[in-house]
Amino acid sequence: MTAAAILILTTLPDRVRAEEIASALVRERLAACVAIGAATRSIYHWRGKVETADEVTLTVKTRRDLYTAVEAALRAAHPYELPEILAVPVIDGYAPYIGWIAAETKPAD
């Protein structure tokens, strides 16, 4: 049986901040990999108004038991007042890749 993997999604205001956070998560072994997406335009409700922002999406590949640590790291480094931090369960996947995620992340505390 392989470890339970999750994807954690977040958005950041620019590529520089995205790369800093992605690098820190991988260095600290909270993520096996972080994919930095292309620039995107977000349209959302905020404080009673419709807002738009150019953002960069991060997809964090990690284990379910590391969610709390990843969330804490994202919240500490994130510039937004209310950051998007969403965990998506991986319900199935190529077993060797899921095993690689487990092997490249640190043990949970």
Side-chain angles (χ1 to χ4, degrees), residues 23-95:
S23 293
L25 291 172
V26 172
R27 258 193 331 271
E28 294 168 19
R29 298 184 78 91
L30 292 173
C33 174
V34 180
I36 301 171
T40 189
R41 169 73 47 115
S42 294
I43 302 171
Y44 54 94
H45 281 278
W46 183 246
R47 301 184 188 241
K49 296 190 302 187
V50 174
E51 302 281 345
T52 61
D54 292 327
E55 298 181 297
V56 176
T57 301
L58 292 186
T59 303
V60 180
K61 298 154 192 176
T62 190
R63 295 190 331 265
R64 183 187 325 247
D65 61 347
L66 289 175
Y67 173 80
T68 301
V70 174
E71 179 189 292
L74 287 172
R75 289 177 56 214
H78 213 291
Y80 291 169
E81 179 182 345
L82 181 63
E84 170 190 4
I85 304 173
L86 300 173
V88 179
V90 173
I91 59 169
D92 209 351
Y94 183 50

Side-chain angles (χ1 to χ4, degrees), residues 4-19:
I6 60 172
L7 303 177
I8 299 175
L9 308 175
T10 192
T11 53
L12 290 142
D14 58 72
R15 189 163 201 82
V16 170
R17 184 72 58 104
E19 289 181 7

